[in-house]
Amino acid sequence: MALTSLWQDRHPRTSSEAGGPPVLEGEHDVVVIGGGLTGVVTALLLARAGRSVLLAEAEHLGAVTTGRSTAKVSLLQGTQYSRIAHRHPASVLRDYAEANREAQAWLVRFCEDHGVGVQHRPAYTYAHGAKGEQSLRAELDATRRAGLETEWVDDVPLPYPTRGAVLLLEQAQVDPCELLDALAREAVAHGVRILEGVRVRRVTGGGPVRVVSDQGTATADRVVVATNMPILDRGGFFARMHPSRSYGLALRTPVQPVDGMYLSADSPSRSLRDVPGLDGSSLLLVGGNGHKVGAPVSEQARIDGLREWTAQWFPDAEETHAWSAQDYVPHHALPFAGPVLPGSEQILVAGGYSKWGMTNGVAAALALTGRILGGRMAWGQVFEPWRFRELTGLLDSARLNGEVGLEMAGGWLRPVRHPGTGPALAEGEGEVRLDRPGAPSALSRVDGTERRVSAVCSHLKGVVRWNDAEKSWDCPLHGSRFGPDGEVLEGPATCGLGQR
Ligand SMILES: Cc1cc2nc3c(=O)[nH]c(=O)nc-3n(C[C@H](O)[C@H](O)[C@H](O)COP(=O)(O)OP(=O)(O)OC[C@H]3O[C@@H](n4cnc5c(N)ncnc54)[C@H](O)[C@@H]3O)c2cc1C
Ligand code: FES
């Protein structure tokens, strides 16, 4: 059974329309693919500017990363500025901060104007080990060079020992599903047509562009692919970033558990914030224990490890929700929003937010909208997909794609150890077995039902691994995930695993 985030539980959505299954059709100025924060803000901004916009979402709004985010709307972002500073000049650092500042201001203003709860909190990046302290010093330096008014504090108001923190006052936090609902209402009021339950399979042609699904085809002058990891192989975005999955817990606490938003600089990461309870009480949100999607780890052990850590330091907290989510970390450290290929202005893509998409997703929407309407953001070059990447991310991409190649080879060899027959699976187990040469199967037993599907990812033929917490098949190559029955859950794949 899928794990559900606190936010998704608070704002349940059903996949859609009372008048029958949704149909993808019509001619539009813009089709936006993806109903997370990036897609919905882009659709709203374009509709406000008078464009006719259709938004196609595979599941329902907020179904994937946005609805499972920790939702800190913060300019202080862990050690993100030192990561950027390591690869880019100071001007890029300043533009990145400016983009995030503008996006944060836009989002907070939207919340205030539309009755969406927003809490203002100090943000801390703190260290608990010597290595973390070293990273923290570098982060202080990078954030100051970026123009943030950060300061060093020795005493960090947390219940466990730390070695100091970088502090930035007056940041914000939200409920991402409450936010998304309000954005969607506003988008619809401006004429956006939102189709939920429509998975786009292909985007083809150029004048106009055709957006193809199993429920019909729509055409548009421009298409914005806001699926986080782009679903199009053109542009090779899947090779420029790696998918990182991490875990979240919500816990009821007798008093407000923390007075700020915290993230550790060292590994394993620990993320903390509070959430106002619906009955006036408080909740603690704990995140961390991340790893690459499809890594040879037990996802269940990662959640349990987070639980143990939380019980140690917040013994009075009582768990209400546990979940996991993934985001994409680009090798050159900068997000992207722009053409899928150089000069190809008809199809635009956005993503690569390194787990800081609450501001970067809005910045990407501002950049894409400016681009479509014929304007430019002053900081827009930071998001330009075809400017920095080849130069600054090439070595990292080559190294990481070497790792992807090794994973590809290993994935195909691994099933050799598990021939076609084997012991019956216990409830909740999954195993890749080699039924016949060159055709490994993914066998699972969930809720008493045994299923057998192809173990070969429909994206680019990685061999999937079993995720024992989410009961899903996860591809270690670029992060596509599939249910036990082979249906696509998320990632760049647009088709499910083959049936056996
Ligand atoms: C654990 C975790 C914690 C985080 N915490 C923070 C935080 O505190 N602060 C912060 O700033 N950021 C945070 N982030 C990052 C942030 O949540 C994401 O970067 C952001 O939500 C991404 O938004 P998006 O709209 O680009 O993607 P998504 O929300 O993933 O939306 C993409 C949508 O596209 C749809 N889609 C995919 N394929 C298709 C298709 N073929 N056809 C139609 N639709 C399709 C999906 O169903 C999905 O709804 C966190 C991320 C994680 C993983
Ligand atoms: S996600 Fe690319 S091969 Fe599986």
Side-chain angles (χ1 to χ4, degrees):
M1 198 180 65
L3 305 167
T4 305
S5 79
L6 166 70
W7 323 114
Q8 291 169 332
D9 195 28
R10 277 187 176 181
H11 307 272
R13 289 186 76 92
T14 46
S15 290
S16 169
E17 303 192 353
V23 179
L24 185 63
E25 60 186 356
E27 296 167 16
H28 311 271
D29 291 335
V30 185
V31 169
V32 175
I33 307 172
L37 186 63
T38 308
V40 178
V41 174
T42 305
L44 169 59
L45 292 173
L46 288 169
R48 276 182 178 169
R51 297 298 186 271
S52 71
V53 184
L54 180 141
L55 186 151
E57 160 57 43
E59 298 184 37
H60 53 81
L61 301 186
V64 184
T65 310
T66 301
R68 298 177 197 175
S69 177
T70 319
K72 300 169 181 168
V73 186
S74 176
L75 298 184
L76 185 66
Q77 301 178 345
T79 53
Q80 174 71 352
Y81 289 83
S82 35
R83 247 190 105 225
I84 295 172
H86 189 60
R87 295 164 173 83
H88 301 280
S91 60
V92 171
L93 207 53
R94 284 193 297 274
D95 281 351
Y96 177 84
E98 194 47 41
N100 277 265
R101 193 178 283 118
E102 190 162 339
Q104 184 194 50
W106 188 95
L107 196 146
V108 169
R109 200 167 47 241
F110 179 90
C111 290
E112 288 167 356
D113 289 350
H114 295 84
V116 177
V118 51
Q119 300 91 46
H120 296 273
R121 298 279 186 270
Y124 297 84
T125 303
Y126 71 92
H128 51 73
K131 212 166 157 218
E133 186 180 342
Q134 208 183 342
S135 308
L136 210 51
R137 298 279 175 193
E139 189 62 15
L140 180 66
D141 177 55
T143 49
R144 287 195 173 158
R145 277 192 287 138
L148 301 189
E149 290 181 1
T150 44
E151 55 186 286
W152 182 271
V153 286
D154 286 321
D155 296 321
V156 187
L158 285 172
Y160 45 89
T162 65
R163 297 171 76 123
V166 174
L167 165 67
L168 185 63
L169 295 171
E170 267 301 299
Q171 301 305 295
Q173 60 182 31
V174 295
D175 169 341
C177 289
E178 182 190 4
L179 169 65
L180 216 50
D181 282 350
L183 286 164
R185 272 197 304 276
E186 187 70 1
V188 169
H190 281 82
V192 176
R193 184 153 172 247
I194 296 179
L195 283 184
E196 295 179 284
V198 173
R199 187 169 294 281
V200 171
R201 306 284 184 200
R202 286 192 316 282
V203 178
T204 61
V209 188
R210 285 161 51 82
V211 179
V212 182
S213 77
D214 294 346
Q215 292 113 297
T217 297
T219 59
D221 296 335
R222 302 285 193 98
V223 170
V224 173
V225 181
T227 53
N228 205 351
M229 170 68 96
I231 53 167
L232 307 180
D233 294 344
R234 272 163 276 174
F237 288 89
F238 59 83
R240 299 175 176 193
M241 45 192 182
H242 72 268
S244 172
R245 197 148 188 95
S246 54
Y247 300 86
L249 300 174
L251 306 104
R252 199 173 297 116
T253 54
V255 291
Q256 186 178 328
V258 285
D259 67 349
M261 304 182 295
Y262 297 85
L263 183 61
S264 66
D266 10 31
S267 293
S269 65
R270 293 287 179 261
S271 168
L272 299 169
R273 59 164 276 194
D274 72 297
V275 181
L278 298 176
D279 55 0
S281 63
S282 256
L283 292 151
L284 169 67
L285 212 148
V286 181
N289 274 5
H291 57 83
K292 206 168 155 282
V293 174
V297 299
S298 161
E299 288 80 359
Q300 188 58 51
R302 295 292 172 122
I303 296 190
D304 292 341
L306 203 57
R307 287 187 169 123
E308 278 164 32
W309 181 86
T310 307
Q312 183 184 358
W313 299 111
F314 299 92
D316 297 331
E318 188 192 327
E319 184 179 314
T320 59
H321 297 79
W323 69 95
S324 66
Q326 71 195 41
D327 208 14
Y328 299 86
V329 182
H331 311 151
H332 80 311
L334 292 173
F336 56 85
V340 67
L341 286 171
S344 157
E345 292 289 331
Q346 283 186 301
I347 304 177
L348 305 171
V349 293
Y353 306 138
S354 304
K355 298 191 182 170
W356 292 105
M358 296 305 293
T359 45
N360 279 304
V362 173
L366 291 168
L368 292 177
T369 307
R371 197 161 194 130
I372 290 171
L373 300 177
R376 286 279 182 274
M377 310 307 290
W379 40 261
Q381 58 157 349
V382 167
F383 281 70
E384 183 57 58
W386 297 101
R387 188 161 174 151
F388 295 111
R389 268 154 201 78
E390 292 86 341
L391 300 176
T392 56
L394 202 62
L395 286 177
D396 283 349
S397 289
R399 182 177 55 76
L400 279 146
N401 282 306
E403 287 170 17
V404 165
L406 285 177
E407 176 53 52
M408 175 72 131
W412 278 90
L413 289 175
R414 213 175 303 120
V416 172
R417 280 177 278 146
H418 301 282
T421 54
L425 295 176
E427 173 60 31
E429 280 186 350
E431 195 172 271
V432 174
R433 291 184 181 171
L434 196 61
D435 295 305
R436 37 196 155 109
S441 289
L443 196 71
S444 65
R445 178 183 289 275
V446 177
D447 296 334
T449 305
E450 196 167 297
R451 294 185 179 87
R452 184 185 293 265
V453 292
S454 168
V456 182
C457 176
S458 60
H459 179 230
L460 291 174
K461 295 193 170 16
V463 175
V464 295
R465 286 185 205 247
W466 184 242
N467 175 329
D468 63 352
E470 295 276 9
K471 313 292 181 242
S472 61
W473 292 109
D474 297 3
C475 181
L477 264 54
H478 316 111
S480 290
R481 297 182 56 246
F482 306 87
D485 57 358
E487 68 170 322
V488 184
L489 299 177
E490 66 179 300
T494 57
C495 298
L497 300 173
Q499 296 300 314
R500 286 279 155 86

